[in-house]
Amino acid sequence: MDATTLELIILPAGILAVLFALYLARDVLRRDAGTQAMQDVAATILEGAVAFIRRQYTTIAILALFGAVILTAVISLVDTQAVAETDIYGLDLGIRTGIAFLVGAACSMASGVIGMYIAVKANVRTASAAQRSLVEAVQVAMRGGAVSGFLVVALSLLGVYGMFVAMGGLEHPAQAPFLIVGFGFGASFVALFAQLGGGIYTKAADVGADLVGKVEAGIPEDDPRNAAVIADLVGDNVGDCAGRGADLFESTAAENIGAMILGVAVYGIALRLGWPNPQAWIFFPLVVRSFGLLATMISMFTIRGREDADPMGMLNRGYWVTTALSAMALAFVTYVMMSGTNGQTGANGIPIWVYFFGAGLVGLATSIVFVYITQYYTSGAWRPVKEIAEASKTGPATNIISGVAVGFETTAVTAIAIVIALFASFWLGEQAGLVNIAGSNVGGVFGTAVATMGMLMTTAYILAMDTFGPITDNAGGIAEFSRAESKARDITDRLDAVGNTTKALTKGYAIASASLAAFLLFSAYIDRVNLILLRQGRDLMESVNLASINVFLAAFIASMVVYFFSSLAIRAVGTAASAIIVEVRRQFREMPGIMDYTQKPDYARVVDITTRAALREMILPGLVAVFAPVVVGLLLGYEAVAGFLMVGTISGVLLATVLNNSGGAWDNAKKYIESGNLRDAAGNVLGKKSEPHAAAVVGDTVGDPFKDTAGPSLHVLVKLFATITLVLAPLFVR
Amino acid sequence: MDATTLELIILPAGILAVLFALYLARDVLRRDAGTQAMQDVAATILEGAVAFIRRQYTTIAILALFGAVILTAVISLVDTQAVAETDIYGLDLGIRTGIAFLVGAACSMASGVIGMYIAVKANVRTASAAQRSLVEAVQVAMRGGAVSGFLVVALSLLGVYGMFVAMGGLEHPAQAPFLIVGFGFGASFVALFAQLGGGIYTKAADVGADLVGKVEAGIPEDDPRNAAVIADLVGDNVGDCAGRGADLFESTAAENIGAMILGVAVYGIALRLGWPNPQAWIFFPLVVRSFGLLATMISMFTIRGREDADPMGMLNRGYWVTTALSAMALAFVTYVMMSGTNGQTGANGIPIWVYFFGAGLVGLATSIVFVYITQYYTSGAWRPVKEIAEASKTGPATNIISGVAVGFETTAVTAIAIVIALFASFWLGEQAGLVNIAGSNVGGVFGTAVATMGMLMTTAYILAMDTFGPITDNAGGIAEFSRAESKARDITDRLDAVGNTTKALTKGYAIASASLAAFLLFSAYIDRVNLILLRQGRDLMESVNLASINVFLAAFIASMVVYFFSSLAIRAVGTAASAIIVEVRRQFREMPGIMDYTQKPDYARVVDITTRAALREMILPGLVAVFAPVVVGLLLGYEAVAGFLMVGTISGVLLATVLNNSGGAWDNAKKYIESGNLRDAAGNVLGKKSEPHAAAVVGDTVGDPFKDTAGPSLHVLVKLFATITLVLAPLFVR
């Protein structure tokens, strides 16, 4: 079998994954939908979620249309024949870029909507299954999550491949990757607003519901008397499902395109040296991801266990199976696609493919390392969460101080893991000895690209686990809301705790992939800028010189934008939550029958208020994110943009780490206390309703916008920086 | 008058400033020391402060001796004849560097100790004066603060000049600046541990005293029944006085030396072009600072006013006088020292000195801008603090979320101001047209150096205002503790509020100077590395290439170290505060007479516990700060170190901004509520003891370690990065 044969797998693998998602969706949908009470609340949630998504995606679609028009105009005007790196330029290129942008945006929106729709359907079926069996509940929730996982990854694969073919990639493989960068930008653009809007919605509803319900009225979480409770349940779906789906859609798309651009450099070497299948280096990212999808499909059937098994154990088994199969597939793909080198070897006579196989393994290993780092810092079994719980004994202030200290601390091991992974994959790539005509070793950067692709092989599984979180969370809410029997509550509680862990893991995975991909994406930008400079006969950009004032100032601004964007996102949650609090208070006051269940609160009004507030609040941070790199590029030039991108990525990754992990740790410190693990000096349990618990609730609330709004939005932000600069490179090179 | 004449001012100005400090000290000391009760508590505070400083400085001295020995050994071994940029190398250079390090360390310690001693003496005299007159109290507090201000700046000026002369600067001006970099490193080294130890001490005592006293026992702040109250009062002196003094000592020293190194490049141009006084470009920083000292001395006599005047107004008047005199002096100094250019002009035929005068004005203006930015974000009159106070209505969680959002937001205007200042001073410098033999325009970087020197002209005044803060804070504590009459309390309360503002301003000033100096210090590092490379006949470092993997990884690590260091500093406060809480609780339990004033708490024991905890906790973050750049340099090389330095500075400056300003805003949101400015929907005042006030107290406590431990320590950290890399450059160039 040779590389050209292997390339044929992409389309069937993508289609198979879509069919598999449909099969899973059908499997979920034909399951028992629970009691009438459950179905009623599920219908209300679906209604609220659809209402929000419809309005949100209408807004995003309008923004995207504007974006596409502006993009088309800008590219048509600046990417003239004199500038263009390919023989497609001007209006032709502008229209193609605009279309790619819209297709990327549409694919992202489609995968978000469908995934969320199935997740909402899976919620109530999980609640229903929990009345009967833990294993069945796990399966329903995981399959519901997998619909999202497979759709997102398959649509991103098919979308990138489809655009590549449409732009003539089969005939001119070295040209097409540059023509489809608009696809990645479209995906990032949608992801940013989806994550921001969804993140603001979910946390505003959560914080609002908690503050009026639990704190002021003294009623439990998810109590039907709380007018914000439906909005809260809706929020889990629109924030966690749709938002994270869009996040990983754009990650896979942008990183795939970036890796193909780097593949072009190796293609040039392979062509010059007369290697049999030079295009294999460009197709590699698509092929390896196809195999990742196949590996994940197989592993879905391994999620089973006894009734008394640990649900996390079941999910972990599936993850390990996915990883093991991916490693084997990686060996196969690198061997087939990279061994046609006419006998040329890397350092020490070792075949070139072996080095890149090693780099891919580094990527797979990095995702495992991040799974454990996240567990250490955010699960109750270890020192950090215990420390925060202990600090709660002296009140909310020490709880917060301790959580911030833990959040800051997590950057250390995160950064070290990333530095080692980047260094190792770069080093392995360099050993492959791929030297271009200018004498530079392009293998190092390509090594980091292969590591990223290795890591992305398991994305569908990770995303399925992630969506498992909000599904079980909602299932618990539905069980509570519909006053289901206690067995169902017990099972959904256990699954909810597991879901918290899987949600945290996904954020670690998203951070790790953003960091691994960072180098790849800068390099793609630099490659593109240099192709333009070459065409213009100008000196190439040989370095991104931090000691030049423009680059330094751009770096300063980038680091600031990361904070400013987070400030806007966090404040947006506060503003939207205030609107909810006012409304719920009003309902308690004006509808006195609510408290004794004789009156039904007006859930729809709170849903509506939350929707409007979230949509209003997502605009400003979104525009800051889009315009900041453009303004820097126009004022300070293309080299400064590279500095902006690099330092913005570093700052964004680290601040997201701080926000995600402190938030997760606060959440679990509260759960740790609720589970009765905290004791005073005399050995008495300090559990629910104790002073330390009240302090821990404060920490948990502070962590909400950190970990579910600002943190995840930062993942998207750093990748948006990468795609927007890649697309607009011709604007900055003037 | 020509440049050589003007250079003669340095020594007299420095000595005059020392004499002026002694005069002020004598003036403060001969004032009325208050009632016997006041004198008793002041004596206790002095005892605690001296005990801490003695032990802290003993520890620091031991660390510094170790540091000097290691430094001498390293420089002796690596800075061999083959490497050295001057004709002093090997053991000779090692010993000189070690001595410079120790002299820098000793000067820093001396100015810290003397300044703190006078401040403690001024506390009680301010309290006493407050019994009679507001104006007198302001004068005593400001003069007490000015002792620190003048000593710190004068010792740094005399120290740098003395080392410069001792290293043969009068004969070989182009060589000496490189030989005295050890002085700056010694000063930074002491500053780091002084600020860390003092910052941990002061906030651990503050948080500990508040949590047991105000929260648990329900007794007011500074109540004599609280065993931690003396430690709290001691903390203000050791943290705010000694710590900030050491911080600004090393800022002025390091930035002065860096500016002289950049002056060497201009010296080369002046020498080649046969300008009359080439050495003037190297002496310029020393001369301009001398004039800054003279301007500040004059302005000290303008601090007066009517009894009913606003004390902040009196201090502001003095500041404006200092700034105006400094601007005039700047015009004079740049004219005399930079107009001997044989008629060569800058762009548009404008004399060279005019451009640098402009750059210096940019520096003076930047400090004014920062004064207003800090006031906007941390004073109760504006939107940010009001927003936090409003958010307190829904509890501590929303108070914290709002404060974090404000803290993040402050980076925006801070970064924009810094970017504009750097850009403007760089641009002005470039217009001067100072082109070296290699064809590069060195004026840009020198422009940022002149801006930094312009800004530093007012340091003595700023530091006097800063020390005014803890003096009035302590005066209030002494008045409360000794149950002084209410007029004295009223006056000290008013002064304390002003002191909070001046303390916040100084942090803004320190941030701004660190940022303005950043470019100067990188450039000094690059100059030094290139001199070494030149000597070795190797290619010069022409850029700090962020796109090279080592530089990128170093940048990543730098940004992480900033977070990790802050985590350690914040956690240290928590750990030390816990020890205090345990002890105070024990005293309340075992000495029941404390509550009804029949038993005196054991203050000394708490002081001792705090001392030991603070000293223990300062070591780890200190070592992380010192070793991180060294390890990066050894593993990743000299170019990576430059990336580490630059991105570390950006990250450190921005995180310090977040921590300082959120802390200040939380503090003043609490004060805003206490002053009765917050009202509920019905218009009722929500003041002290209300729910929102309790929420605001949580925010204030969270902000304590942010703004007084981690934030100020970060200022020192970024400058330590600069001095350590400058000193150890020969170690990294191998």
Side-chain angles (χ1 to χ4, degrees), chain A residues 299 301-306 309-324 461 465:
Chain A
S299 67
F301 295 102
T302 64
I303 302 171
R304 54 168 62 94
R306 291 215 317 260
D310 171 18
M312 193 67 220
M314 295 185 216
L315 299 188
N316 271 338
R317 171 142 29 84
Y319 175 61
W320 282 103
V321 171
T322 310
T323 305
Y461 195 88
M465 283 216 287

Side-chain angles (χ1 to χ4, degrees), chain A residues 207 211 216 383 387 393-394 396-398 400-402 404-406 408-409 411-416 418-420 422-423 426 430 448 515 518-519 522-523 526 542-553 555-557 559-564 566-568 570-571 573-574 581 585 636 642-643 646-647 649-651 653-655 658-659 697-699 701-703 705-706, chain B residues 207 211 216 383 387 393-394 396-398 400-402 404-406 408-409 411-416 418-420 422-423 426 430 448 515 518-519 522-523 526 542-553 555-557 559-564 566-568 570-571 573-574 581 585 636 642-643 646-647 649-651 653-655 658-659 697-699 701-703 705-706:
Chain A
V207 171
L211 287 177
E216 288 185 17
R383 191 260 310 160
E387 188 176 289
K393 288 180 181 170
T394 36
T398 40
I400 301 290
I401 291 174
S402 173
V404 170
V406 165
F408 282 5
E409 183 193 324
T411 58
V413 58
T414 301
I416 290 169
I418 290 169
V419 164
I420 291 175
L422 274 177
F423 193 88
F426 194 93
E430 273 192 333
T448 69
S515 315
F519 219 70
F522 313 152
S523 306
I526 293 172
E542 301 214 323
S543 78
V544 178
N545 184 10
L546 248 183
S548 114
I549 185 122
N550 282 9
V551 175
F552 179 72
L553 296 181
F556 212 116
I557 294 170
S559 202
M560 172 275 274
V561 167
V562 164
Y563 279 114
F564 185 58
S566 306
S567 167
L568 292 174
I570 292 171
R571 174 171 292 132
V573 172
I581 290 171
R585 279 187 190 148
L636 300 174
M646 291 170 183
V647 174
T649 301
I650 292 174
S651 302
V653 161
L654 290 178
L655 186 57
V658 169
L659 296 172
V697 167
V698 171
T701 309
V702 169
F706 284 20
Chain B
V207 171
L211 286 177
E216 288 185 17
R383 192 259 310 160
E387 189 176 291
K393 287 181 182 171
T394 36
T398 39
I400 300 290
I401 290 174
S402 175
V404 170
V406 165
F408 283 5
E409 185 194 324
T411 58
V413 59
T414 301
I416 290 169
I418 290 169
V419 164
I420 291 174
L422 275 176
F423 193 87
F426 194 93
E430 272 191 333
T448 70
S515 314
F519 218 68
F522 311 152
S523 305
I526 293 173
E542 303 213 323
S543 79
V544 179
N545 184 11
L546 247 183
S548 115
I549 184 121
N550 282 9
V551 175
F552 179 72
L553 295 181
F556 212 115
I557 294 170
S559 200
M560 172 274 275
V561 167
V562 163
Y563 279 114
F564 186 57
S566 306
S567 168
L568 293 175
I570 291 171
R571 173 169 293 132
V573 172
I581 290 171
R585 279 188 190 148
L636 300 174
M646 291 169 183
V647 175
T649 301
I650 293 174
S651 302
V653 161
L654 289 178
L655 187 57
V658 169
L659 296 172
V697 167
V698 171
T701 309
V702 170
F706 284 19

Side-chain angles (χ1 to χ4, degrees), chain B residues 7 65 124 155 272 281 323 327 332 338 427 495 505 539 599 628 637 700 702:
Chain B
E7 286 153 20
L65 276 175
V124 65
L155 278 181
R272 180 165 52 84
W281 299 88
T323 304
F332 174 68
M338 298 179 176
W427 182 84
L495 296 188
L505 299 187
D539 287 343
Q599 243 179 325
D700 180 38
V702 170

Side-chain angles (χ1 to χ4, degrees), chain A residues 4 196 229 245 309 328 408 564 596:
Chain A
T4 44
L196 269 174
V229 71
M328 285 186 259
F408 282 5
F564 185 58
D596 54 13

Side-chain angles (χ1 to χ4, degrees), chain A residues 428-644:
Chain A
L428 284 164
E430 273 192 333
Q431 300 303 305
L434 302 175
V435 177
N436 71 10
I437 202 160
S440 20
N441 187 335
V442 301
V445 174
F446 196 70
T448 69
V450 174
T452 309
M453 291 302 118
M455 184 162 184
L456 290 186
M457 290 180 88
T458 59
T459 301
Y461 195 88
I462 294 278
L463 192 52
M465 283 216 287
D466 180 63
T467 311
F468 177 93
I471 290 176
T472 53
D473 191 354
N474 254 261
I478 291 171
E480 171 80 30
F481 194 94
S482 61
R483 306 198 209 169
E485 50 190 311
S486 73
K487 179 184 176 187
R489 271 311 282 168
D490 287 350
I491 286 182
T492 56
D493 273 355
R494 283 179 66 189
L495 296 189
D496 189 17
V498 170
N500 271 324
T501 306
T502 61
K503 276 196 285 184
L505 298 186
T506 314
K507 285 175 209 150
Y509 179 85
I511 288 280
S513 91
S515 315
L516 261 190
F519 219 70
L520 169 183
L521 292 167
F522 313 152
S523 306
Y525 172 77
I526 293 172
D527 278 9
R528 180 143 201 233
V529 167
N530 278 337
L531 278 173
I532 298 172
L533 291 171
L534 196 66
R535 186 82 165 214
Q536 295 180 292
R538 290 160 66 185
D539 287 344
L540 299 192
M541 169 161 70
E542 301 214 323
S543 78
V544 178
N545 184 10
L546 248 183
S548 114
I549 185 122
N550 282 9
V551 175
F552 179 72
L553 296 181
F556 212 116
I557 294 170
S559 202
M560 172 275 274
V561 167
V562 164
Y563 279 114
F564 185 58
F565 173 85
S566 306
S567 167
L568 292 174
I570 292 171
R571 174 171 292 132
V573 172
T575 311
S578 303
I580 296 170
I581 290 171
V582 169
E583 171 62 19
V584 177
R585 279 187 190 148
R586 187 194 64 79
Q587 294 197 17
F588 274 131
R589 197 172 56 239
E590 297 177 6
M591 300 157 83
I594 290 178
M595 278 310 273
D596 54 13
Y597 298 98
T598 57
Q599 245 180 324
K600 229 178 127 179
D602 188 351
Y603 304 124
R605 217 179 125 81
V606 178
V607 167
D608 186 57
I609 286 172
T610 316
T611 299
R612 273 186 285 125
L615 295 185
R616 191 179 58 236
E617 299 292 330
M618 78 179 182
I619 302 293
L620 181 60
L623 294 184
V624 166
V626 171
F627 283 105
V630 178
V631 170
V632 166
L634 291 176
L635 290 179
L636 300 174
Y638 61 86
E639 189 183 347
V641 166
F644 181 95

Side-chain angles (χ1 to χ4, degrees), chain B residues 527-542:
Chain B
D527 278 9
R528 180 146 200 231
V529 167
N530 278 337
L531 278 173
I532 297 171
L533 290 171
L534 196 67
R535 185 81 166 213
Q536 295 180 293
R538 290 160 67 184
D539 287 343
L540 298 191
M541 168 162 68
E542 303 213 323

